[in-house]
Short mmCIF file of all heavy atoms in Angstrom, two decimals:
data_model
loop_
_atom_site.label_atom_id
_atom_site.label_comp_id
_atom_site.label_asym_id
_atom_site.label_seq_id
_atom_site.Cartn_x
_atom_site.Cartn_y
_atom_site.Cartn_z
N GLN P 208 -87.57 230.45 147.26
CA GLN P 208 -87.79 231.82 146.79
C GLN P 208 -87.25 232.01 145.39
O GLN P 208 -87.89 232.70 144.60
CB GLN P 208 -87.04 232.76 147.72
CG GLN P 208 -87.75 232.82 149.15
CD GLN P 208 -89.18 233.19 149.12
OE1 GLN P 208 -89.57 234.19 148.36
NE2 GLN P 208 -90.01 232.44 149.76
N GLY P 209 -86.10 231.40 144.96
CA GLY P 209 -85.62 231.50 143.68
C GLY P 209 -86.61 230.85 142.61
O GLY P 209 -86.81 231.36 141.63
N LEU P 210 -87.16 229.69 142.98
CA LEU P 210 -88.14 229.03 142.09
C LEU P 210 -89.41 229.81 141.96
O LEU P 210 -89.90 229.96 140.79
CB LEU P 210 -88.39 227.57 142.74
CG LEU P 210 -87.21 226.54 142.69
CD1 LEU P 210 -87.52 225.39 143.56
CD2 LEU P 210 -86.88 226.15 141.22
N ILE P 211 -89.81 230.36 143.06
CA ILE P 211 -91.10 231.09 142.95
C ILE P 211 -90.88 232.37 142.11
O ILE P 211 -91.75 232.69 141.35
CB ILE P 211 -91.58 231.55 144.47
CG1 ILE P 211 -92.07 230.33 145.13
CG2 ILE P 211 -92.66 232.60 144.37
CD1 ILE P 211 -92.30 230.46 146.69
N ALA P 212 -89.70 232.99 142.25
CA ALA P 212 -89.37 234.16 141.56
C ALA P 212 -89.36 233.94 140.10
O ALA P 212 -89.86 234.74 139.14
CB ALA P 212 -88.03 234.76 141.99
N ARG P 213 -88.83 232.79 139.59
CA ARG P 213 -88.85 232.42 138.28
C ARG P 213 -90.22 232.27 137.68
O ARG P 213 -90.55 232.75 136.64
CB ARG P 213 -87.96 231.21 137.93
CG ARG P 213 -86.47 231.53 138.06
CD ARG P 213 -85.61 230.24 137.75
NE ARG P 213 -85.80 229.69 136.51
CZ ARG P 213 -85.07 229.95 135.42
NH1 ARG P 213 -84.04 230.78 135.51
NH2 ARG P 213 -85.31 229.34 134.22
N SER P 214 -91.03 231.61 138.40
CA SER P 214 -92.44 231.33 137.94
C SER P 214 -93.24 232.65 137.91
O SER P 214 -93.91 232.83 136.97
CB SER P 214 -93.17 230.47 139.01
OG SER P 214 -92.76 229.05 138.85
N ASP P 215 -92.94 233.56 138.93
CA ASP P 215 -93.68 234.90 138.93
C ASP P 215 -93.21 235.66 137.61
O ASP P 215 -94.02 236.25 137.01
CB ASP P 215 -93.26 235.61 140.11
CG ASP P 215 -94.00 235.10 141.38
OD1 ASP P 215 -94.92 234.21 141.17
OD2 ASP P 215 -93.64 235.58 142.45
N ALA P 216 -91.94 235.54 137.21
CA ALA P 216 -91.41 236.37 136.15
C ALA P 216 -92.04 235.77 134.80
O ALA P 216 -92.42 236.58 133.86
CB ALA P 216 -89.93 236.39 136.11
N ASN P 217 -92.04 234.55 134.77
CA ASN P 217 -92.70 233.85 133.57
C ASN P 217 -94.09 234.26 133.40
O ASN P 217 -94.61 234.55 132.25
CB ASN P 217 -92.41 232.39 133.56
CG ASN P 217 -90.99 231.91 133.49
OD1 ASN P 217 -90.21 232.71 132.98
ND2 ASN P 217 -90.67 230.72 134.00
N ALA P 218 -94.90 234.16 134.46
CA ALA P 218 -96.31 234.49 134.45
C ALA P 218 -96.47 236.03 134.05
O ALA P 218 -97.44 236.35 133.32
CB ALA P 218 -97.00 234.15 135.77
N ALA P 219 -95.63 236.85 134.61
CA ALA P 219 -95.79 238.19 134.28
C ALA P 219 -95.41 238.48 132.85
O ALA P 219 -96.16 239.28 132.16
CB ALA P 219 -94.89 239.05 135.16
N ALA P 220 -94.49 237.83 132.26
CA ALA P 220 -94.19 237.92 130.81
C ALA P 220 -95.25 237.47 129.97
O ALA P 220 -95.68 238.16 129.01
CB ALA P 220 -92.88 237.18 130.50
N LEU P 221 -95.94 236.33 130.34
CA LEU P 221 -97.01 235.92 129.50
C LEU P 221 -98.28 236.78 129.60
O LEU P 221 -99.00 237.05 128.72
CB LEU P 221 -97.31 234.49 129.94
CG LEU P 221 -98.51 233.79 129.13
CD1 LEU P 221 -98.18 233.82 127.58
CD2 LEU P 221 -98.75 232.43 129.64
N ASP P 222 -98.42 237.32 130.85
CA ASP P 222 -99.56 238.29 131.11
C ASP P 222 -99.41 239.57 130.18
O ASP P 222 -100.37 240.02 129.66
CB ASP P 222 -99.64 238.68 132.50
CG ASP P 222 -100.90 239.25 132.94
OD1 ASP P 222 -102.01 238.78 132.58
OD2 ASP P 222 -100.88 240.40 133.48
N THR P 223 -98.18 239.89 130.01
CA THR P 223 -98.02 241.20 129.07
C THR P 223 -98.35 240.82 127.70
O THR P 223 -98.97 241.57 126.96
CB THR P 223 -96.52 241.61 129.26
OG1 THR P 223 -96.20 241.97 130.58
CG2 THR P 223 -96.17 242.67 128.15
N ILE P 224 -98.00 239.66 127.31
CA ILE P 224 -98.33 239.18 125.95
C ILE P 224 -99.85 239.11 125.73
O ILE P 224 -100.35 239.61 124.75
CB ILE P 224 -97.84 237.72 125.72
CG1 ILE P 224 -96.22 237.83 125.46
CG2 ILE P 224 -98.35 237.16 124.41
CD1 ILE P 224 -95.60 236.51 125.41
N VAL P 225 -100.49 238.61 126.76
CA VAL P 225 -102.02 238.55 126.75
C VAL P 225 -102.68 239.91 126.63
O VAL P 225 -103.52 240.20 125.89
CB VAL P 225 -102.51 237.68 127.86
CG1 VAL P 225 -104.05 237.71 127.91
CG2 VAL P 225 -102.07 236.23 127.80
N ALA P 226 -102.12 240.73 127.54
CA ALA P 226 -102.68 242.08 127.59
C ALA P 226 -102.61 242.91 126.42
O ALA P 226 -103.41 243.89 126.00
CB ALA P 226 -102.04 242.89 128.71
N ASP P 227 -101.50 242.57 125.53
CA ASP P 227 -101.29 243.39 124.26
C ASP P 227 -102.06 242.85 123.05
O ASP P 227 -101.97 243.42 122.07
CB ASP P 227 -99.79 243.27 123.94
CG ASP P 227 -98.90 244.15 124.90
OD1 ASP P 227 -99.44 245.02 125.52
OD2 ASP P 227 -97.57 243.94 124.91
N ARG P 228 -102.81 241.69 123.24
CA ARG P 228 -103.53 241.10 122.19
C ARG P 228 -105.00 241.01 122.53
O ARG P 228 -105.35 240.32 123.43
CB ARG P 228 -102.97 239.72 121.87
CG ARG P 228 -101.45 239.95 121.22
CD ARG P 228 -100.60 238.81 121.54
NE ARG P 228 -99.36 238.94 120.88
CZ ARG P 228 -98.36 239.61 121.25
NH1 ARG P 228 -98.43 240.18 122.43
NH2 ARG P 228 -97.29 239.73 120.72
N ASP P 229 -105.84 241.63 121.68
CA ASP P 229 -107.26 241.54 122.01
C ASP P 229 -107.85 240.15 121.68
O ASP P 229 -109.07 239.91 122.00
CB ASP P 229 -108.04 242.71 121.28
CG ASP P 229 -107.93 242.54 119.64
OD1 ASP P 229 -107.35 241.58 119.18
OD2 ASP P 229 -108.32 243.57 118.96
N TRP P 230 -107.19 239.40 121.00
CA TRP P 230 -107.70 238.02 120.70
C TRP P 230 -107.29 236.91 121.76
O TRP P 230 -107.77 235.74 121.73
CB TRP P 230 -107.30 237.59 119.28
CG TRP P 230 -105.82 237.58 118.96
CD1 TRP P 230 -104.99 238.67 118.60
CD2 TRP P 230 -104.93 236.50 119.32
NE1 TRP P 230 -103.72 238.25 118.48
CE2 TRP P 230 -103.63 236.89 118.93
CE3 TRP P 230 -105.10 235.16 119.65
CZ2 TRP P 230 -102.44 236.11 118.98
CZ3 TRP P 230 -103.92 234.32 119.77
CH2 TRP P 230 -102.64 234.81 119.42
N LEU P 231 -106.47 237.39 122.65
CA LEU P 231 -106.06 236.41 123.73
C LEU P 231 -106.61 236.89 125.01
O LEU P 231 -106.81 238.03 125.29
CB LEU P 231 -104.57 236.51 123.87
CG LEU P 231 -103.72 235.40 123.10
CD1 LEU P 231 -102.24 235.57 123.38
CD2 LEU P 231 -104.14 233.98 123.46
N GLY P 232 -106.97 235.86 125.90
CA GLY P 232 -107.55 236.20 127.24
C GLY P 232 -107.16 235.15 128.25
O GLY P 232 -106.63 234.08 127.91
N HIS P 233 -107.33 235.47 129.50
CA HIS P 233 -107.20 234.39 130.50
C HIS P 233 -108.48 233.64 130.80
O HIS P 233 -109.50 234.29 130.89
CB HIS P 233 -106.63 235.02 131.81
CG HIS P 233 -105.31 235.48 131.77
ND1 HIS P 233 -104.28 234.59 131.93
CD2 HIS P 233 -104.62 236.72 131.55
CE1 HIS P 233 -103.05 235.22 131.89
NE2 HIS P 233 -103.31 236.56 131.68
N LEU P 234 -108.39 232.33 130.83
CA LEU P 234 -109.65 231.56 131.20
C LEU P 234 -109.91 231.91 132.72
O LEU P 234 -111.12 231.87 133.05
CB LEU P 234 -109.29 230.03 131.05
CG LEU P 234 -110.41 229.09 131.46
CD1 LEU P 234 -111.69 229.45 130.57
CD2 LEU P 234 -109.93 227.59 131.21
N ALA P 235 -108.95 232.03 133.57
CA ALA P 235 -109.09 232.36 134.96
C ALA P 235 -109.59 233.77 135.06
O ALA P 235 -108.96 234.72 134.62
CB ALA P 235 -107.91 232.22 135.84
N VAL P 236 -110.77 233.98 135.62
CA VAL P 236 -111.40 235.36 135.58
C VAL P 236 -110.69 236.33 136.65
O VAL P 236 -110.41 237.42 136.18
CB VAL P 236 -112.99 235.24 135.95
CG1 VAL P 236 -113.54 236.56 135.98
CG2 VAL P 236 -113.53 234.35 134.88
N GLU P 237 -110.55 235.87 137.76
CA GLU P 237 -109.96 236.71 138.86
C GLU P 237 -108.44 236.57 138.80
O GLU P 237 -107.82 235.49 139.04
CB GLU P 237 -110.48 236.33 140.22
CG GLU P 237 -112.04 236.51 140.31
CD GLU P 237 -112.45 237.98 140.22
OE1 GLU P 237 -111.64 238.89 140.52
OE2 GLU P 237 -113.62 238.27 139.77
#
C-alpha cells in the first residue's frame, strides 16, 4: 500500500504538469 501510494502521488503530480501545458499530452488516451 505504501509503494502504491507513492506511485499514485507521483503520477498525479505529473498529470498536473501535463494538464497545465497545452504542448504536453498523454500518449495513453483513456
Side-chain angles (χ1 to χ4, degrees):
Q208 292 305 312
L210 293 166
I211 291 169
R213 282 180 64 96
S214 287
D215 286 351
N217 290 338
L221 183 57
D222 194 52
T223 297
I224 290 171
V225 173
D227 288 344
R228 289 153 177 83
D229 58 9
W230 56 271
L231 267 181
H233 284 284
L234 181 59
V236 176
E237 299 293 334

